[in-house]
Amino acid sequence: MKRYCPNLFSYTRRQSDPIRIGSHLVLGGDAPVVVQSMTTTNTADVEASARQVMRLAAAGAEMVRLTAPGRTEAERLLTIRRRIEEQECYVPLVADIHFNPQVALIAAQYVSKVRINPGNFIDRRATFKHLEYTDEEYAAELERLRVQLTALIEVCKYYNTVIRIGVNHGSLSDRIMSRYGDTTDGMVESAMEFLRVCRAEGYDRVVISMKSSNTRVMVEAYRKLVVRMDEEGMRYPLHLGVTEAGEGEDGRIRSAVGIGALLADGIGDTIRVSLTEAPENEIAPARILADYFKGREVHNYIPVDDDPLPYDPYNYSRRATTAVQHRGKTIGGGMPPVVVGDRAAGADFAPEDFPLTTPGQAMRGADREKGWIACTLEHLTYEFLEWLEKHPERILVLVSENVHWVGEIRACFVQLMRHGVANPVVVSRCYGEKSLERLQLHAAADFGALLIDGFGDGIWIVNEVFETIYDEDAQGKPVRTERDATPEFDLTSLSFSILQAARARISRTEIISCPGCGRTLFELQEAARAVKERFGHYPGLKIAVMGCIVNGPGEMADADFGYVGSGNGLVTLYKGKEVVERNIPQEGALERLEQLIRGTSG
């Protein structure tokens, strides 16, 4: 099986070719992961856009993207750049281009990087109808692509501008879907068509992204892209992101599941955490994620060979396990993963519901209550694995203290699968976080990386914080004591959010919402919050809230209903990909959406 990273159990960063963006920023190679964001202002408003760019730079953004839907906005990019440089702000600017190659030619003269979308750079807007292309017609379309892209490459060569080829699952072209369907293979081919033109033209200042609101799709697409690029000798840097991630806890966790699953394997040179919030709020979680994987190369050796793998990392499937009954609930056997936590908050089990035992006690028969067996990779000896095969009813709890936690827990699953052990597994990790945001991001990155590959019949998140207090006794001698300073975080809600973000267990409404940009013509953040408040109690229902039509119709394929901006204060409602009502004033759109949902649900 072809690899997307050198070793699944030994952390190393993917070696991309470094490129310079702007006067000082290096992306790729051995450079640290770069954090970026995007403005939400109208780019034609120079003063507002310049102020927001500077706020983002002050917050820690190392690149800032602005939308350029037309010539006016593209021309204003020069003025915005001059305005921020007057204030000694030199953060590289990126122009976001859709539908209009001519606008890209203008913007490329003024910014450090231009993002183009292969789904709509030269192809017309997707109709989502199956179109037939003969080989000759398909080749003619590729030639048209080459001509348009070559024109942009020539401008970028002259002005030393970088191109990001930004593929979005929600905006693949009809041409690509006619050959590959709405698939990750289609996403990869969409990128490769553009990359081959760049290489043929001797242009290597390229970055690629493969975004989706579905974390499984996003991770699978990046993995497949890395394999394809390796096959063709390409080492371009990668931009990671989960598009339309949402807001609040949900947005952060969904982003961390997708981005973290890739960073855990050393993939990714720059990241954006897209939130339906003020763009400044994106910087801190992105930096926390990037920093979480710093220094991971130095970890305890994991003595497991990753060839051959007993699972397919390019096609999702759950690890097959035995169904085991415990306190009236089923663990394993294809059932959704259980949550260990606070039963009053909805957890399936609480820690007091089961005694923990060791592999040694279990094999000796010394645990009369037949508790859950806590074990590490070191415990998975040939003797213990043989014993487990004879006792498929016993539940395992996998733990690790390795810095490369994902690698070691993954190695445990591989060992179990190679030996045909089908016991259900609950994965557990103990954190020591005082910050809820850090805990959310770290736990989502860790557990999400495993759930994406179908590993785990349950998750158990623990957070313990102890503080050391120095004092004096009655004789004036120094005394050191420890006290429990664990914050009261809702770990059960966090667990369910991670399972939902990884598509492992759906327990609430899924709100897919974009972060907004200069194209957004209605109050997106307010709308996303209102939709979540009103419809958050429909488990399994998916609603997409989109600021404009760039990805809107495509993301409808993954949603039951869509609420998409279509004009100044106007909204178009979708059911799946089909338009139900166009250009409704935003004031009444929520009520109409509720009528549609109630009508469907009866």
Side-chain angles (χ1 to χ4, degrees), residues 117-120 123-124 126 129-131 133 138 141-142 145 167-169 171-194 196:
N117 183 338
N120 58 39
D123 289 303
R124 59 181 180 269
K129 297 177 181 177
H130 182 72
L131 304 179
Y133 288 84
Y138 202 91
E141 289 296 302
L142 289 179
L145 180 159
V167 178
N168 265 18
H169 184 224
S171 56
L172 294 177
S173 69
D174 285 334
R175 178 177 58 79
I176 282 290
M177 289 192 285
S178 74
R179 287 284 175 98
Y180 301 93
D182 186 15
T183 64
T184 52
D185 290 332
M187 294 174 69
V188 171
E189 187 59 28
S190 186
M192 294 302 295
E193 288 179 351
F194 278 63
R196 292 181 190 119

Side-chain angles (χ1 to χ4, degrees), residues 554-567:
E555 294 298 345
M556 297 306 103
D558 204 37
D560 300 302
F561 296 94
Y563 183 107
V564 181
S566 55

Side-chain angles (χ1 to χ4, degrees), residues 318 321-339 348-349 372 395 424 426 457-458 505:
R318 285 280 301 279
T321 57
T322 302
V324 176
Q325 292 289 320
H326 186 84
R327 294 180 66 93
K329 291 183 179 289
T330 303
I331 304 177
M335 296 296 290
V338 299
V339 169
D348 301 291
F349 300 100
W372 294 10
I395 297 167
V426 173
D457 301 289
R505 179 174 177 176

Side-chain angles (χ1 to χ4, degrees), residues 35-49:
V35 168
Q36 60 177 283
S37 184
M38 184 173 183
T39 62
T40 56
T41 53
N42 182 343
T43 309
D45 187 337
V46 170
E47 299 305 325
S49 297

Side-chain angles (χ1 to χ4, degrees), residues 5-295:
C5 69
N7 191 302
L8 289 169
F9 312 128
S10 178
Y11 179 88
T12 54
R13 279 192 67 189
R14 171 181 172 266
Q15 286 302 299
S16 58
D17 292 328
I19 57 176
R20 185 173 294 278
I21 300 178
S23 60
H24 63 281
L25 185 66
V26 176
L27 182 66
D30 295 324
V33 173
V34 170
V35 168
Q36 60 177 283
S37 184
M38 184 173 183
T39 62
T40 56
T41 53
N42 182 343
T43 309
D45 187 337
V46 170
E47 299 305 325
S49 297
R51 286 195 299 270
Q52 192 169 70
V53 168
M54 289 187 286
R55 288 199 301 272
L56 284 166
E62 296 167 279
M63 263 192 293
V64 177
R65 182 159 41 119
L66 304 94
T67 186
R71 290 174 176 269
T72 298
E73 291 83 1
E75 294 287 359
R76 298 283 170 86
L77 291 169
L78 175 60
T79 312
I80 292 169
R81 193 190 79 198
R82 287 173 173 168
R83 193 75 85 243
I84 67 170
E85 289 177 352
E86 288 170 0
Q87 301 300 316
E88 298 186 348
C89 175
Y90 299 99
V91 64
L93 300 183
V94 183
D96 193 60
I97 309 295
H98 296 272
F99 306 118
N100 196 334
Q102 298 307 310
V103 171
L105 298 178
I106 298 170
Q109 302 173 52
Y110 307 134
V111 295
S112 300
K113 185 167 75 168
V114 172
R115 180 272 172 118
I116 58 174
N117 183 338
N120 58 39
F121 182 64
I122 63 138
D123 289 303
R124 59 181 180 269
R125 191 189 315 278
T127 62
F128 304 100
K129 297 177 181 177
H130 182 72
L131 304 179
E132 296 290 343
Y133 288 84
T134 65
D135 290 344
E136 292 76 15
E137 289 171 336
Y138 202 91
E141 289 296 302
L142 289 179
E143 175 60 18
R144 192 163 67 91
L145 180 159
R146 187 193 67 78
V147 170
Q148 292 278 14
L149 182 55
T150 299
L152 176 60
I153 288 171
E154 290 305 314
V155 174
C156 289
K157 283 181 177 179
Y158 185 83
Y159 287 96
N160 207 28
T161 306
V162 175
I163 294 176
R164 170 157 72 95
I165 298 168
V167 178
N168 265 18
H169 184 224
S171 56
L172 294 177
S173 69
D174 285 334
R175 178 177 58 79
I176 282 290
M177 289 192 285
S178 74
R179 287 284 175 98
Y180 301 93
D182 186 15
T183 64
T184 52
D185 290 332
M187 294 174 69
V188 171
E189 187 59 28
S190 186
M192 294 302 295
E193 288 179 351
F194 278 63
L195 289 177
R196 292 181 190 119
V197 174
C198 290
R199 185 168 62 179
E201 295 298 320
Y203 178 77
D204 59 3
R205 294 175 56 73
V206 179
V207 182
I208 313 100
S209 61
M210 307 286 284
K211 296 190 180 183
S212 172
S213 62
N214 183 321
T215 52
R216 281 186 197 163
V217 169
M218 174 258 196
V219 172
E220 182 181 306
Y222 276 102
R223 288 175 175 177
K224 287 182 175 180
L225 176 69
V226 169
V227 170
R228 287 288 296 280
M229 287 200 300
D230 286 348
E231 289 174 345
E232 300 194 25
M234 298 176 178
R235 296 176 12 131
Y236 302 112
L238 295 175
H239 166 131
L240 306 185
V242 177
T243 191
E244 289 94 38
E247 55 91 36
E249 177 185 77
D250 291 342
R252 285 160 176 78
I253 289 173
R254 189 179 296 159
S255 289
V257 165
I259 294 171
L262 293 162
L263 290 178
D265 285 325
I267 295 172
D269 301 286
T270 178
I271 63 175
R272 181 193 175 193
V273 173
S274 299
L275 299 175
T276 312
E277 301 178 20
E280 294 89 337
N281 293 352
E282 297 180 350
I283 307 306
R287 177 51 58 199
I288 290 169
L289 274 176
D291 289 347
Y292 190 44
F293 295 92
K294 274 185 180 177

